[in-house]
Amino acid sequence: MNVMQKLLTALRSSARELGDAIIDANSTRIFEQEITEAEQHLQEAKVELTTLLAKQLQSEDELQKVQLDIKKHENYVKEALKNQNESLALEIAEKIAALESEHNQVKQTVVDYQSNTNQLKVLIQKTERQLRDYQRQLAMVKTTEKVQQTTSTISANFSAGNSKLITAKETLDRIAKQQEEEKYKQQAADQLANESEDKQLEKKLTEAGIIKNNRAEDILEKIKQSQQND
Amino acid sequence: MHIQDLALRFNNLLQHEGYEFDCQPIPGCPDVLQITVTNLDPLPIFLTITEQQTLCIAYLWTEEQIIEEHRLSLLESLLELNVPMPLSSFAKSGDKYLIFGALSIHSSFDDIIHEIITLHENALEATTALQTFLK
């Protein structure tokens, strides 16, 4: 099970309360310890690789020297044969044989060093990849925990303080409510203004004698007219 | 940047490009800051720093504020909006839906301010867009 699957299982667990550790602290510590140890091993492996590479270079250098020495002695043999000094040529040839034996040994050492350094390089690359993966996984677990803890602390803090954690939805609802209140206030203000304008006009019309404001007199006049008509 | 340094920077900041900020540590959780852009609609942004990133979080709505029959459509819409939305992503923690921005711990103070303002705008815009799925 990879770390994401583990996180999902832990997060979906109905038994789990918000704020509980996703992965218990002990496991996280063990994981961190593993990372620290892997980092140490990696550092040691890099030191070892440096030493091996130095030795490989040294052996390659030695191999080249032996090759040059063989070449030089081969020329000596040719020179001795040219001077018809067979016994000296034989002596030099024995030296060449010894040098060739040394050459084979050094060559084998170089091959061994090359093989070891290659293996170590592969191992280091693999460990580095694994370390990066461990660090990524640990970061994922820690971030999930941090967000859970943060949410839990914020929620607890707001409920303890008798205030509410404001969500964007609530902010929008409040804005909509304020806008609605403003709209009604504006409507009421408009209505009041209209009423006030109507009253002022009525007052002016009454003062000019265009409309009469005395309702009782109007009613009495109406009844009198109705009696006359009867 | 350490969280306390960040709190000091915010408290010393009078305004940034016309925005004004209020920054308070959350009691009992000293590594979380509550930042409010005081001259915008009130929506607190919570900031915390982990080992690898600086996280800015705003809460969108809770599970109980979702209209049950629209839940699936809402979740699909969140996934669809996740990529086009600049600098922020949707997430869920417990019963709370949230929007967050993750920055490198080496981000500058200006980058963090930019993230907070963007997150504030994204939170209200996304909630407005998804209002039909909410009670």
Side-chain angles (χ1 to χ4, degrees):
Chain A
M1 202 188 261
N2 72 27
V3 72
M4 283 214 199
Q5 285 170 311
K6 279 182 193 163
L7 283 176
L8 274 179
T9 309
L11 285 168
R12 287 190 175 158
S13 160
S14 56
R16 219 189 118 259
E17 289 292 319
L18 190 67
D20 281 0
I22 301 282
I23 291 172
D24 69 274
N26 201 32
S27 309
T28 313
R29 268 199 299 277
I30 292 169
F31 203 28
E32 280 174 328
Q33 185 59 36
E34 276 177 16
I35 290 177
T36 312
E37 279 170 17
E39 277 170 342
Q40 276 170 3
H41 290 156
L42 191 64
Q43 199 50 40
E44 283 164 13
K46 281 180 179 174
V47 171
E48 199 183 331
L49 179 64
T50 315
T51 314
L52 271 179
L53 278 171
K55 284 183 177 169
Q56 183 188 320
L57 285 173
Q58 202 180 358
S59 301
E60 281 169 355
D61 201 35
E62 201 182 325
L63 187 67
Q64 209 177 5
K65 276 183 191 160
V66 177
Q67 279 169 338
L68 284 172
D69 218 9
I70 291 171
K71 204 90 186 154
K72 192 172 80 182
H73 282 84
E74 279 172 352
N75 286 337
Y76 289 158
V77 171
K78 284 177 192 166
E79 199 69 26
L81 288 174
K82 213 159 93 184
N83 295 334
Q84 294 179 338
N85 192 342
E86 190 86 16
S87 64
L88 182 62
L90 187 64
E91 208 178 316
I92 301 166
E94 278 166 6
K95 172 74 178 167
I96 291 173
L99 281 172
E100 275 181 351
S101 165
E102 191 187 337
H103 176 267
N104 288 341
Q105 276 177 11
V106 178
K107 195 173 180 182
Q108 188 54 50
T109 310
V110 169
V111 168
D112 287 348
Y113 278 137
Q114 280 171 341
S115 160
N116 287 340
T117 52
N118 284 339
Q119 273 177 15
L120 205 53
K121 276 179 189 170
V122 171
L123 188 72
I124 286 172
Q125 280 173 353
K126 209 174 141 188
T127 312
E128 276 175 336
R129 272 202 300 274
Q130 196 160 25
L131 196 59
R132 270 198 300 274
D133 198 39
Y134 279 160
Q135 284 162 340
R136 182 186 59 85
Q137 289 181 31
L138 186 64
M140 224 189 297
V141 172
K142 284 192 157 183
T143 304
T144 311
E145 282 197 338
K146 185 92 180 176
V147 173
Q148 292 280 322
Q149 278 167 7
T150 304
T151 306
S152 151
T153 314
I154 291 168
S155 300
N157 191 272
F158 275 88
S159 23
N162 265 346
S163 53
K164 204 169 180 303
L165 171 62
I166 303 171
T167 63
K169 159 89 176 122
E170 281 145 5
T171 299
L172 281 183
D173 286 350
R174 199 163 44 241
I175 294 168
K177 205 177 159 192
Q178 277 170 358
Q179 282 172 346
E180 204 175 357
E181 276 173 15
E182 280 302 315
K183 196 179 85 183
Y184 284 132
K185 273 184 194 169
Q186 191 56 49
Q187 276 178 0
D190 288 349
Q191 207 174 330
L192 277 175
N194 286 339
E195 279 173 14
S196 165
E197 276 172 23
D198 285 351
K199 274 186 181 166
Q200 278 181 3
L201 185 64
E202 199 180 313
K203 198 181 163 194
K204 282 180 187 170
L205 288 170
T206 312
E207 280 168 2
I210 297 170
I211 58 162
K212 286 179 182 168
N213 210 12
N214 196 335
R215 303 268 305 155
E217 282 175 10
D218 290 347
I219 293 165
L220 191 61
E221 190 61 30
K222 212 173 171 182
I223 294 169
K224 279 179 184 171
Q225 276 185 6
S226 146
Q227 276 180 333
Q228 281 171 5
N229 290 340
D230 290 341
Chain B
M1 198 181 292
H2 198 268
I3 197 98
Q4 270 77 30
D5 297 331
L6 207 55
L8 279 176
R9 294 285 298 268
F10 268 110
N11 287 325
N12 290 333
L13 183 75
L14 291 173
Q15 62 96 28
H16 177 90
E17 293 176 0
Y19 296 103
E20 289 166 17
F21 299 88
D22 176 65
C23 174
Q24 304 284 338
I26 298 287
C29 196
D31 53 354
V32 181
L33 297 177
Q34 178 181 317
I35 298 159
T36 316
V37 189
T38 51
N39 51 348
L40 289 180
D41 296 318
L43 179 69
I45 307 288
F46 297 96
L47 187 149
T48 190
I49 299 175
T50 70
E51 276 175 39
Q52 291 197 325
Q53 52 193 345
T54 301
L55 282 174
C56 300
I57 298 170
Y59 291 94
L60 295 173
W61 53 78
T62 58
E63 193 69 65
E64 63 177 19
Q65 288 173 315
I66 300 170
I67 301 169
E68 186 53 40
E69 57 266 36
H70 290 161
R71 195 170 180 273
L72 187 62
S73 309
L74 171 67
L75 297 177
E76 277 181 348
S77 304
L78 289 176
L79 286 177
E80 283 162 356
L81 282 176
N82 234 2
V83 175
M85 190 168 49
L87 301 175
S88 316
S89 306
F90 294 114
K92 196 183 174 207
S93 178
D95 69 334
K96 293 176 181 62
Y97 285 76
L98 49 99
I99 191 168
F100 75 99
L103 294 102
S104 153
I105 46 169
H106 307 296
S107 299
S108 69
F109 185 57
D110 278 4
D111 287 340
I112 293 172
I113 290 179
H114 180 55
E115 176 60 44
I116 286 169
I117 294 162
T118 311
L119 194 66
H120 188 284
E121 286 166 349
N122 284 343
L124 293 183
E125 210 169 304
T127 310
T128 308
L130 300 165
Q131 187 81 292
T132 48
F133 303 124
L134 304 170
K135 287 176 189 165

